[in-house]
Amino acid sequence: MTPEERFAGTRERLASIAGRVSPLALACSFGAEDMVLLDMVADLGLPIEVFSLDTGRLPAETYELMQTVRERYPAVTVRYYYPDAAALGAWVTEHGVNAFYLSIDHRKSCCAIRKLEPLERALAGKAGWITGLRREQSPTRQGVPEEETDAGHGLLKFNPLADWSEAEVWTYVKTRDVPFNALHERHYPSIGCAPCTRAIAVGEDIRAGRWWWENPETRECGLHPARAVRNGRK
Ligand code: SF4
């Protein structure tokens, strides 16, 4: 399959999803995959709400890209969700501002307050949501299907880039001159919160820079629960 055929197929799939599921939301953390999807949604004028979770600990480069997106895609409104101030204040007061390094439980409770609870609010009332997950991103994502039931949130979940390669993502970005996070050019293929993301070395897994101090099997924040590793596609 040529890149052009891949891109056209995904655009058709996105339009088809938007035609049969409503209301629909695209989760955007401003990584390269999310930028591909945002560009398609904007270009096709699809009725898909774009939302982003601002944890308050994102890298400066991500905030710069948020502003660039506003200017590049004036027809797209990105809705931002923030952690509950009281819950976050209580957590930091009790544990410390960088307590996520202390244990997996501390890290997961920080992710719960800064990401999971805001995600619940972002998805409230939606019939489906779209993500930029790809199977080759990590061991925890090898079983990602293109469409699934998100039982935890009680709605459909679509991963239209599930079988895209990293090279295809970047071909799309470059061909369409899509803005992207400057950290991608500094060996950050996967970008999350600043204190929990580092650059990777040659040959390391794409998500090796996320929560690098933990075992690879635990390196998900709960937005996309880890799955059993399967052979082949679902
Ligand atoms: S990625 Fe790190 S800083 Fe961000 S919510 Fe999770 S533990 Fe907290």
Side-chain angles (χ1 to χ4, degrees):
M1 182 184 294
T2 66
E4 290 70 27
E5 289 168 338
R6 170 80 75 199
F7 304 158
T10 301
R11 286 165 62 94
E12 278 176 25
R13 206 172 310 127
L14 262 185
S16 165
I17 295 167
R20 67 187 164 93
V21 180
S22 177
L24 192 57
L26 166 64
C28 179
S29 62
F30 298 95
E33 289 83 0
D34 297 342
M35 290 307 305
V36 168
L37 292 170
L38 189 150
D39 184 79
M40 287 184 177
V41 167
D43 191 46
L44 295 169
L46 297 176
I48 299 175
E49 178 184 305
V50 182
F51 74 89
S52 188
L53 309 178
D54 183 351
T55 64
R57 298 298 299 262
L58 300 177
E61 291 83 354
T62 302
Y63 291 114
E64 285 166 19
L65 180 56
M66 288 176 181
Q67 196 62 30
T68 301
V69 163
R70 238 182 123 73
E71 290 150 17
R72 168 70 185 271
Y73 301 100
V76 173
T77 298
V78 180
R79 196 176 298 277
Y80 289 93
Y81 290 85
Y82 290 84
D84 178 83
L88 181 58
W91 188 89
V92 172
T93 300
E94 181 177 355
H95 302 289
V97 72
N98 286 340
F100 33 77
Y101 294 132
L102 298 178
S103 71
I104 291 178
D105 283 347
H106 282 86
R107 199 272 288 167
K108 288 190 171 176
S109 60
C110 182
C111 284
I113 292 171
R114 292 184 189 271
K115 294 181 177 180
L116 301 189
E117 190 279 330
L119 177 68
E120 296 288 333
R121 280 183 271 130
L123 295 181
K126 300 291 185 300
W129 63 309
I130 299 171
T131 84
L133 296 183
R134 290 187 301 109
R135 296 190 188 106
E136 68 169 38
Q137 282 172 323
S138 74
T140 59
R141 296 187 174 179
Q142 287 181 23
V144 169
E146 289 182 0
E147 179 173 339
E148 61 189 315
T149 299
D150 179 350
H153 294 106
L155 70 179
L156 294 172
K157 183 177 179 183
F158 301 92
N159 311 300
L161 304 187
D163 58 355
W164 280 43
S165 67
E166 186 179 9
E168 287 170 330
V169 170
W170 283 102
T171 298
Y172 184 94
V173 167
K174 298 294 182 180
T175 303
R176 297 266 309 164
D177 195 26
V178 174
F180 59 89
N181 195 314
L183 287 175
H184 284 313
E185 292 189 317
R186 293 179 221 152
H187 308 291
Y188 286 76
S190 176
I191 303 165
C193 292
C196 298
T197 308
R198 65 157 170 75
I200 65 168
V202 175
E204 276 191 308
D205 183 85
I206 290 174
R207 282 175 65 84
R210 305 291 298 277
W211 308 292
W212 65 92
W213 62 91
E214 292 182 9
N215 181 306
E217 279 69 42
T218 70
R219 288 185 201 151
E220 291 287 352
C221 57
L223 295 180
H224 311 292
R227 320 154 184 271
V229 175
R230 301 177 190 140
N231 292 323
R233 292 173 49 179
K234 180 176 176 181

